[in-house]
Amino acid sequence: MIALGSDHGGYELKQHVIDYLNLKGIEFKDFGCYDTKSCDYPDMTIKPCEAVLKKECKLALLFCGTGIGVSIAANKIKGIRAACCSDTFSAKFTRMHNDANVLCLGGRVVGPGLALELVDMFLNTEFEGERHKIRIEKIKAIEDLDY
Ligand code: RB5
C-alpha cells in the first residue's frame, strides 16, 4: 500500500500518478487534496507520513508545486526520510542508500512522463542496508537532539 498526498500545486500530477498506479494494480491510499482549491502543503504531508510510520503504507508519494515544500515539512516528522527528486538516479539511490520512505515530486517541475519513471524507480528499489544502516542510525540520533 502506497500513501499519497498533495496540495493544489501537486494535485494534477498526483492524479496522473493515481491513473498509473491503477493501471499497474498498485494499491494506494489518497489522503488528498481532492481538487485544485488552494490548501497548505504542510497540512497535506501529515496523514500520508503517519500511514508510513504506522506501517499501514510501505512508502509515500507527496506532491506540491516544487516538491520542496512537502519535503521540508515531511522531514520534520521523526522517522520520515523524504527525498525531493527530479532525476531517476537520485530516486533510485535515495532508496538504496538513504532508505527514503517518502518521494516528493514537483507538479510544476517534473513532466508527467518523467514523474512515472521516478515513481517506478522509487517503488521498485530496496534499501541496501549494510554500511548505510549506521548512517541511518546517525540520522535518527540527530532527530533526538534537543536545542
Ligand atoms: C503553492 O503555490 C506552492 O507554494 C506549493 O505547492 C509548493 O511549491 C511549495 O513548496
Side-chain angles (χ1 to χ4, degrees):
M1 184 73 76
I2 304 301
L4 304 179
S6 78
D7 74 351
H8 55 289
Y11 172 77
E12 265 188 39
L13 190 60
K14 175 165 65 77
Q15 296 312 113
H16 180 63
V17 169
I18 284 175
D19 290 343
Y20 182 68
L21 297 177
N22 278 327
L23 196 74
K24 289 271 176 180
I26 298 170
E27 286 191 293
F28 62 88
K29 193 162 180 195
D30 181 11
F31 292 93
C33 61
Y34 302 113
D35 55 39
T36 54
K37 204 170 125 244
S38 182
C39 59
D40 300 328
Y41 60 83
D43 296 335
M44 310 317 295
T45 65
I46 297 169
K47 284 185 179 170
C49 290
E50 269 177 10
V52 170
L53 294 174
K54 289 179 180 167
K55 299 193 193 306
E56 292 162 5
C57 293
K58 185 186 177 196
L59 298 166
L61 306 175
L62 296 179
F63 306 81
C64 67
T66 58
I68 296 171
V70 284
S71 70
I72 291 173
N75 278 316
K76 298 292 179 192
I77 301 172
K78 196 171 173 174
I80 292 298
R81 291 176 298 281
C84 180
C85 296
S86 52
D87 68 277
T88 52
F89 181 86
S90 299
K92 179 178 185 173
F93 278 83
T94 199
R95 286 287 301 127
M96 284 169 66
H97 288 189
N98 313 130
D99 198 14
N101 46 18
V102 178
L103 175 67
C104 301
L105 298 176
R108 297 168 185 160
V109 179
V110 171
L114 176 58
L116 301 185
E117 293 205 356
L118 294 166
V119 166
D120 255 344
M121 191 59 90
F122 189 76
L123 298 186
N124 294 313
T125 307
E126 295 300 321
F127 179 47
E128 267 187 347
E130 296 177 11
R131 69 188 186 282
H132 302 293
K133 277 188 186 159
I134 182 87
R135 295 161 187 167
I136 302 304
E137 290 310 313
K138 289 188 178 191
I139 291 173
K140 288 179 182 165
I142 292 172
E143 288 175 335
D144 290 333
L145 292 178
D146 202 9
Y147 293 106

